[in-house]
């Protein structure tokens, strides 16, 4: 845990504070009294105000640990709340998305009325293809308008979806589709990545070969390139939709129960199989729209940009459902920050007059590395709130973001949450909170968090331990799909009494502010994305030449953590540069490029305890170049020295 202790030391020295700018504070959506509101009153009032219910809820919540229900008896439709009601209120001409394709000349402004027509046509097309209320739909699309349109179309007709990030492999896509028993897959011909096409359709074909339950594949044309189509299974969206009505009356929004399944989002845990996190309808929509409203201080003229990918929870909650429910104008960008040049983001901010920007620390560190001159080429004075999410932000990156992007004048909100929580839980409120670089500050109103020690005693100010959530909140997960036992074990078994175990270390300072310290389990966080060590190890040992593998994260200035793998090959083979490339590709194909190890150290043996357990702590120490701690329980202490020598030789080669 040396990285964490270095981290704690650095954070302990961090004493800079930034009170909210007075003009901002005066006009802010959240005022200081928001923290005095009773949690039940808060969620009851917000539940009524943010969302339009077809049938009002009768009961705020039911908490039967570890299962929560919210807004019981309420009927609503997510698409109605995100689209139709804004058109009915006379805001049909308001822009929902400024879509910007990766090629700089591809742009489209989509109004709420346009969105309503397109979603209706998509929903009618899905119906024609056999999708009904309750039919599970897989979506494997890049950041094109049809991604939110397809999601909303599903919610319009009551079909739950799972969106799979476009960077995941065929195998990952297939595993998700099989787990959810998806009957239909929506994909596109090709996505664009730094000017290069990526054939999502051929990855989908490979995935469908391993997911026989998928009977229909809808292909959206993005680049128009020719792709192989399987008769009787594959249809182009434009052809299937040609005879479908876009009149909203032709496809009314299905009234859903507050607790009906809205979507599954798969995320890595501490085993080789990702878990399908269950999110339901009413609480999720209230949780995301309420947090979005207060944390980003949304006003009628806000131009909001969350620069994440919709394939992750951040995009679901804060590109699609929260912002659309609040009727906001957003930017939706298809590409990378450095294409065609490193000022692409700042060009977008200037052109659309973006007022709120929400991104990940890893992206900020990339911009830092490239230098502030790219931002300086553009007028960023419309910005009034900056946000971060996904991993702990180091104070230097926080200050750089505030100074070089925010002109040293606007609040930076460091928002902590997870796929499981669905909504932001620990965060500053920009008009209320005195900010501290590196601290996510306080639980959001109506949220209760604490830090516990190993025994379950609450650790007071100044102390460190495990972050826990001690009360339910509307958008919380309702379970792991088809796996109640794993749900219980992962989150609810460490502490009794309905206390949710987060898996993050944290400390609380003397002002009661929370400082997040990273994962405490075998989960790595690379560029704000969760990857399980076991998942990568399984992918490695799946290769025919690999006898054993152990994986750990090491600190990385750019990506937060980087993946290091220790591999011993079968039959005493020695590792070669070719083998290294082959193994990286293999992991990329099994899981997705994001999981390919940054370093692989080939070693004849892995360090094991006498009972045969691999000593990950030692491997982490080697990966981070630290002096090794206690090795007395090792079966063969020489193994560690051997590994150390090999790791040092690898590092020297790279330099
Ligand atoms: O370790 C925490 C880290 O990301 C984990 C959740 O990952 P995921 O479910 O992929 O969702 C990421 C986007 C919501 C957490 O357990 N994390 C997320 N936000 C922060 C963070 N760590 C520190 N500070 C944050 N603001």
């Amino acid at each position: 845990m040396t990285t964490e202790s270095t981290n704690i030391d650095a954070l302990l020295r961090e004493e800079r504070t930034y009170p909210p700018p007075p003009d901002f504070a005066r006009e802010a959506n959240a005022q200081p009294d928001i923290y005095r509101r009773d949690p039940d009153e808060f969620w009851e009032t917000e539940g009524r105000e943010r969302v339009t219910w077809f049938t009002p809820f009768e009961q705020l919540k039911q908490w039967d640990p570890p299962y929560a229900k919210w807004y019981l008896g309420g009927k609503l439709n997510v698409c109605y709340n995100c689209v139709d009601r804004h058109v009915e209120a006379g805001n049909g001409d308001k822009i929902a998305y400024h879509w910007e394709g990766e090629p700089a000349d591809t742009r489209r402004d989509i109004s709420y009325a346009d969105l309503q027509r397109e979603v209706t046509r998509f929903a009618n097309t899905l119906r024609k293809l056999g999708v009904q209320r309750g039919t599970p739909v897989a979506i494997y699309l890049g950041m094109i308008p049809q991604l939110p349109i397809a999601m909303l179309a599903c919610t319009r007709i009551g079909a739950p979806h799972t969106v799979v990030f476009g960077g995941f492999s065929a195998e990952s896509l297939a595993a998700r589709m099989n787990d959810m028993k998806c009957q239909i897959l929506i994909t596109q011909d090709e996505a664009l990545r730094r000017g290069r096409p990526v054939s999502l359709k051929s990855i989908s074909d490979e995935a469908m070969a391993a997911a026989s339950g998928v009977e229909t594949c809808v292909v959206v044309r993005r680049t128009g390139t020719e792709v192989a189509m399987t008769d009787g299974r594959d249809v182009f969206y434009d052809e299937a939709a040609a005879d479908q009505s876009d009149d909203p009356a032709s496809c009314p929004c299905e009234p859903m129960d507050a607790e009906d399944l809205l979507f599954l989002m798969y995320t890595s845990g501490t085993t080789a199989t990702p878990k399908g996190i269950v999110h339901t309808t009413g609480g999720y929509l209230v949780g995301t729209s309420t947090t979005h409203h207060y944390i980003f201080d949304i006003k009628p003229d806000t131009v909001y940009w969350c620069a994440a990918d919709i394939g992750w929870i951040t995009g679901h909650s804060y590109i699609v459902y929260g912002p659309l429910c609040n009727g906001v104008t957003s930017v939706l960008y298809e590409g990378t920050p450095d294409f065609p040049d490193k000022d692409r983001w700042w060009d977008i901010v200037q052109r659309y007059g973006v007022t709120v920007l929400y991104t990940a620390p890893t992206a900020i560190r990339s911009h830092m590395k490239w230098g502030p001159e790219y931002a300086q080429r553009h007028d960023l004075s419309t910005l009034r709130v900056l946000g971060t999410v996904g991993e702990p932000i180091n104070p230097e990156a926080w200050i750089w973001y505030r100074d070089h992007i925010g002109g040293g004048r606007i609040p930076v909100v460091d928002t902590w949450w997870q796929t499981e929580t669905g909504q932001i839980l620990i965060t500053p409120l920009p008009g209320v909170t005195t900010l501290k670089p590196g601290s996510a500050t306080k639980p959001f109103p109506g949220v209760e968090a604490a830090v516990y020690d190993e025994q379950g005693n609450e650790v007071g100010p100044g102390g460190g331990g495990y972050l826990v959530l001690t009360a339910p909140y509307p958008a919380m997960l309702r379970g792991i799909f088809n796996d109640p036992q794993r749900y219980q074990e992962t989150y609810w078994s460490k502490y009794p009494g309905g206390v949710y175990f987060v898996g993050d270390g944290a400390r609380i300072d003397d002002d009661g502010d929370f400082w997040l310290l990273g994962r405490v389990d075998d989960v790595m966080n690379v560029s704000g994305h969760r990857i399980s060590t076991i998942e990568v190890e399984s992918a490695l040992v799946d290769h025919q030449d690999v006898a054993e593998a152990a994986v750990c994260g090491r600190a990385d200035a750019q990506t937060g953590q980087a993946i290091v793998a220790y591999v011993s090959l079968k039959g005493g083979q020695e590792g070669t540069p070719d083998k290294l490339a082959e193994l990286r590709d293999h992991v990329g194909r099994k899981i997705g490029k994001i999981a390919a190890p940054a370093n692989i150290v080939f070693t004849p043996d892995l360090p094991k305890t006498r009972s045969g357990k691999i000593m990950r702590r030692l491997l982490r120490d080697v990966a981070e170049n630290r002096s090794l701690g206690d090795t007395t329980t090792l079966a063969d202490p020489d193994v560690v020295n051997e590994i150390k020598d090999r790791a040092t030789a690898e590092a020297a080669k790279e330099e």
Side-chain angles (χ1 to χ4, degrees):
M1 301 284 270
T2 320
T3 6
E4 278 160 24
S5 31
T6 327
N7 200 352
I8 294 174
D9 291 345
L11 293 174
L12 281 175
R13 288 195 300 273
E14 183 52 58
E15 282 176 353
R16 289 169 281 196
T17 54
Y18 300 86
D23 303 356
F24 191 106
R26 246 191 323 274
E27 304 293 326
N29 292 352
Q31 293 295 321
D33 59 0
I34 196 169
Y35 286 112
R36 288 195 288 277
R37 286 173 66 180
D38 167 72
D40 282 356
E41 175 281 317
F42 181 80
W43 290 120
E44 176 124 17
T45 310
E46 298 296 330
R48 280 208 204 89
E49 283 184 6
R50 302 242 157 260
V51 165
T52 305
W53 300 85
F54 294 153
T55 307
F57 54 91
E58 287 156 6
Q59 188 186 335
L60 176 68
K61 67 172 191 236
Q62 180 183 307
W63 180 217
D64 186 7
Y67 293 99
K69 289 184 178 167
W70 283 83
Y71 306 110
L72 289 85
K75 303 269 186 251
L76 75 163
N77 181 280
V78 166
C79 183
Y80 179 77
N81 275 278
C82 289
V83 183
D84 297 59
R85 66 169 178 158
H86 303 312
V87 180
E88 286 170 15
N91 293 321
D93 291 340
K94 186 168 180 177
I95 301 299
Y97 289 120
H98 293 291
W99 180 69
E100 169 120 348
E102 192 189 74
D105 56 351
T106 335
R107 290 182 201 140
R108 233 188 105 190
D109 282 349
I110 303 161
S111 69
Y112 275 92
D114 296 334
L115 195 58
Q116 189 184 32
R117 282 189 293 269
E118 295 221 18
V119 168
T120 302
R121 192 191 293 280
F122 211 116
N124 276 325
T125 309
L126 289 177
R127 280 223 165 116
K128 171 174 121 174
L129 295 170
V131 177
Q132 297 169 352
R133 186 181 170 124
T135 308
V137 177
I139 304 179
Y140 186 59
L141 290 171
M143 290 285 283
I144 57 176
Q146 288 82 359
L147 175 48
I149 288 168
M151 294 162 77
L152 291 161
C154 288
T155 68
R156 189 173 192 91
I157 59 181
H161 59 66
T162 190
V163 179
V164 179
F165 171 58
F168 275 123
S169 66
E171 209 164 301
S172 297
L173 173 59
R176 286 155 172 77
M177 294 196 294
N178 282 332
D179 190 61
M180 196 182 183
K181 302 204 167 38
C182 295
Q183 294 167 22
I184 179 162
L185 166 65
I186 303 168
T187 189
Q188 67 191 80
D189 48 8
E190 293 176 322
L192 292 173
R193 205 82 194 140
R194 285 203 177 85
R196 282 199 313 274
V198 180
S199 179
L200 296 192
K201 176 63 169 64
S202 28
I203 300 172
S204 296
D205 286 340
E206 211 183 316
M208 284 185 285
S212 54
V214 179
E215 289 159 10
T216 309
C217 177
V218 181
V219 183
V220 174
R221 291 189 221 254
R222 167 67 184 96
T223 59
T225 203
E226 211 169 296
V227 292
M229 298 289 277
T230 300
D231 265 355
R233 186 194 69 186
D234 303 350
V235 283
F236 282 112
Y237 173 69
D238 51 359
E239 290 170 13
D243 60 350
Q244 295 302 303
S245 169
D246 67 358
D247 173 4
S250 70
C251 185
C253 294
E254 189 78 17
M256 304 300 287
D257 188 86
E259 283 299 331
D260 276 337
L261 175 62
L262 181 62
F263 65 82
L264 298 184
M265 167 59 68
Y266 286 83
T267 189
S268 295
T270 52
T271 73
T273 338
K275 42 198 181 190
I277 302 300
V278 175
H279 284 292
T280 58
T281 305
Y284 176 79
L285 197 61
V286 175
T288 53
S289 57
T290 304
T291 46
H292 182 254
H293 173 80
Y294 289 116
I295 297 165
F296 300 112
D297 201 50
I298 298 303
K299 305 290 188 196
D301 61 353
T302 293
V303 181
Y304 166 85
W305 183 18
C306 168
D309 192 291
I310 293 176
W312 306 103
I313 192 70
T314 304
H316 278 54
S317 299
Y318 296 106
I319 299 179
V320 183
Y321 295 119
L324 291 178
C325 186
N326 287 335
V328 161
T329 295
S330 294
V331 170
L332 185 63
Y333 172 51
E334 182 183 33
T336 49
D338 54 350
F339 190 88
D341 201 356
K342 300 183 176 67
D343 67 340
R344 183 67 187 270
W345 274 23
W346 318 123
D347 176 44
I348 292 175
V349 168
Q350 175 174 346
R351 238 172 328 103
Y352 298 111
V354 171
T355 61
V356 180
L357 177 65
Y358 189 32
T359 185
T362 192
I364 298 166
R365 289 191 295 262
S366 293
H367 289 292
M368 265 173 93
K369 198 174 70 191
W370 298 331
E373 55 273 24
Y374 294 98
Q376 280 157 10
R377 287 186 199 160
H378 298 275
D379 177 4
L380 308 181
S381 61
T382 49
L383 287 168
R384 55 189 298 276
V385 181
L386 297 175
T388 76
V389 59
E391 48 181 313
I393 183 162
N394 46 314
E396 290 60 41
W398 192 100
I399 300 275
W400 191 92
Y401 193 33
R402 184 178 185 277
D403 284 353
H404 293 287
I405 308 306
R409 60 187 169 86
I410 61 175
V412 176
V413 291
D414 172 3
T415 66
W416 177 88
W417 57 297
Q418 303 181 298
T419 303
E420 290 86 340
T421 71
Q423 62 173 86
I424 297 170
L425 291 187
I426 303 182
T427 178
L429 293 174
V432 179
T433 312
T434 291
L435 304 170
K436 298 175 183 170
S439 169
T441 71
K442 300 262 190 313
F444 187 76
V447 171
E448 288 167 46
V451 175
Y452 279 12
D453 67 13
E454 192 65 43
Q455 286 71 40
N457 305 306
E458 188 161 347
V459 174
Y466 301 110
L467 181 65
V468 295
L469 304 170
T470 53
Y473 46 90
M476 74 180 263
L477 76 169
R478 301 300 197 257
I480 295 177
F481 191 64
N482 276 342
D483 203 344
Q485 196 185 336
R486 190 172 179 194
Y487 177 60
Q488 171 71 38
E489 280 166 9
T490 309
Y491 307 110
W492 306 99
S493 63
K494 180 148 176 101
Y495 301 115
V499 172
Y500 174 93
F501 178 69
V502 165
D504 283 4
R507 62 175 274 272
I508 304 185
D509 70 16
D510 292 337
D511 303 323
D513 286 322
F514 286 69
W515 299 75
L516 278 305
L517 305 172
R519 300 291 308 186
V520 294
D521 51 15
D522 286 328
V523 175
M524 301 169 287
N525 188 326
V526 180
S527 300
H529 301 306
R530 244 202 270 181
I531 299 167
S532 133
T533 53
I534 321 275
E535 220 179 327
V536 181
E537 286 169 6
S538 309
L540 284 166
V541 294
D542 172 82
H543 187 281
Q544 56 189 16
D545 293 340
V546 175
E548 267 191 321
V551 164
C552 66
R554 65 159 165 78
D556 182 275
Q558 177 61 43
T559 56
Q561 282 192 302
I563 303 177
V564 181
Y566 299 86
V567 170
S568 56
L569 295 172
K570 283 183 185 157
Q573 290 177 62
E574 281 290 321
T576 59
D578 282 353
K579 188 61 66 194
L580 193 149
E582 197 181 314
L583 292 184
R584 295 192 79 238
D585 278 359
H586 187 75
V587 177
R589 263 200 315 280
K590 296 289 289 181
I591 307 175
K593 273 206 182 111
I594 184 165
N599 310 91
I600 297 181
V601 179
F602 290 104
T603 161
D605 291 297
L606 295 170
K608 299 212 181 104
T609 61
R610 290 191 190 101
S611 60
K613 270 173 62 182
I614 294 173
M615 294 277 279
R616 283 172 201 285
R617 177 181 57 77
L618 288 181
L619 293 173
R620 261 199 305 264
D621 287 345
V622 172
E624 302 200 315
N625 223 351
R626 285 190 296 263
S627 60
L628 302 178
D630 183 12
T631 55
T632 49
T633 54
L634 275 181
D636 180 1
D638 288 344
V639 169
V640 179
N641 292 328
E642 170 84 27
I643 289 176
K644 243 186 114 177
D645 292 346
R646 285 172 180 250
T648 317
E650 275 304 311
K653 253 190 269 162
E654 269 167 35
E655 274 160 22

